[in-house]
Amino acid sequence: GESVGLHLPTLSVQEGDNSIINCAYSNSASDYFIWYKQESGKGPQFIIDIRSNMDKRQGQRVTVLLNKTVKHLSLQIAATQPGDSAVYFCAEEGGRRALTFGSGTRLQVQP
Amino acid sequence: NAGVTQTPKFRILKIGQSMTLQCTQDMNHNYMYWYRQDPGMGLKLIYYSVGAGITDKGEVPNGYNVSRSTTEDFPLRLELAAPSQTSVYFCASTSKLGLAGTGELFFGEGSRLTVL
């Protein structure tokens, strides 16, 4: 199907390496942040979230870091696998009961 | 469990035509959303609803209308289609969004619309 990420910044990593995907947000009032993964031709899927009173949260093979001072969010994927190839979006919720999504990063995993 | 179901999956419209994108969810979620995604871009919020009978505009509501008469359904209406509305449209739902709830939206598979 048609790619939704033709002009996205791309991160290319070797299988087994760690990946770090970065995101800058603009709304100082945002207090809840989420990472989503979107595979080609599918809707986004929830990966992990973090609240503003935290600076780190870990899941299975993923870690999210939050730096509110510089309004920066990152997603770390350990031991990247071919199935991790997708477009990754950060999203923020600033009290309006809806998510604002970033522009996305394409992750390509080389075998 | 079907989750969020969108129809149609693909549609080609002529300029000036109207149509409705259907979205239904079977998870008894109160919160429902419509996003559009243009190539190389993130998702832009069109409209959302926090319960039956309640709708609110998002970032890009012009050219669209919604209604929420039931908890399950949240149709998106395009009036007088324009080429700028060529996009992939995603419907999503969740129980309650935010710090008191969750950040997990459940998305449909998308509806790919082309306006020629």
Side-chain angles (χ1 to χ4, degrees):
Chain A
E2 176 186 342
S3 169
V4 295
L6 294 175
H7 308 294
L8 292 170
T10 298
L11 174 66
S12 186
V13 301
Q14 293 291 321
E15 182 178 355
D17 287 352
N18 296 334
S19 303
I20 300 177
I21 300 170
N22 296 304
C23 175
Y25 65 94
S26 57
N27 186 357
S28 300
S30 294
D31 52 12
Y32 187 34
F33 304 89
I34 307 97
W35 281 98
Y36 279 82
K37 172 186 180 183
Q38 186 177 29
E39 297 175 337
S40 182
K42 296 185 178 181
Q45 287 183 296
F46 174 92
I47 302 173
I48 191 169
D49 60 359
I50 187 168
R51 286 158 167 75
S52 60
N53 61 352
M54 305 171 69
D55 54 19
K56 180 179 180 179
R57 188 165 189 224
Q58 290 184 289
Q60 187 175 14
R61 278 202 309 119
V62 295
T63 300
V64 55
L65 299 178
L66 174 63
N67 185 331
K68 291 202 73 179
T69 301
V70 295
K71 292 189 281 189
H72 184 268
L73 196 64
S74 69
L75 177 71
Q76 301 178 2
I77 304 174
T80 312
Q81 302 169 0
D84 295 326
S85 293
V87 177
Y88 289 81
F89 294 97
C90 64
E92 58 187 289
E93 199 276 331
R96 66 175 301 192
R97 300 178 297 181
L99 294 183
T100 299
F101 284 82
S103 55
T105 297
R106 175 184 299 282
L107 177 65
Q108 291 182 338
V109 182
Q110 308 297 330
Chain B
N1 190 340
V4 178
T5 302
Q6 292 183 233
T7 55
K9 287 185 169 45
F10 302 92
R11 182 73 185 268
I12 298 175
L13 280 181
K14 294 182 179 179
I15 295 172
Q17 286 185 320
S18 300
M19 74 161 297
T20 299
L21 299 178
Q22 301 291 344
C23 176
T24 188
Q25 51 91 9
D26 61 0
M27 296 173 282
N28 200 32
H29 286 164
N30 285 321
Y31 289 48
M32 294 189 74
Y33 304 85
W34 274 106
Y35 286 89
R36 60 175 286 173
Q37 186 174 36
D38 300 333
M41 306 292 285
L43 289 86
K44 297 294 185 184
L45 181 65
I46 305 171
Y47 272 96
Y48 66 105
S49 168
V50 298
I54 305 169
T55 61
D56 283 292
K57 294 179 180 180
E59 304 168 69
V60 290
N62 291 344
Y64 307 94
N65 277 300
V66 292
S67 60
R68 185 90 184 275
S69 56
T70 67
T71 299
E72 296 78 18
D73 300 307
F74 191 41
L76 177 72
R77 178 82 176 163
L78 282 73
E79 303 283 1
L80 299 174
S84 61
Q85 292 178 303
T86 294
S87 191
V88 180
Y89 292 82
F90 287 101
C91 180
S93 73
T94 192
S95 53
K96 183 176 183 180
L97 185 72
L99 290 175
T102 177
E104 183 171 9
L105 298 187
F106 294 85
F107 283 84
E109 294 193 346
S111 297
R112 193 176 305 275
L113 177 67
T114 302
V115 182
L116 300 174

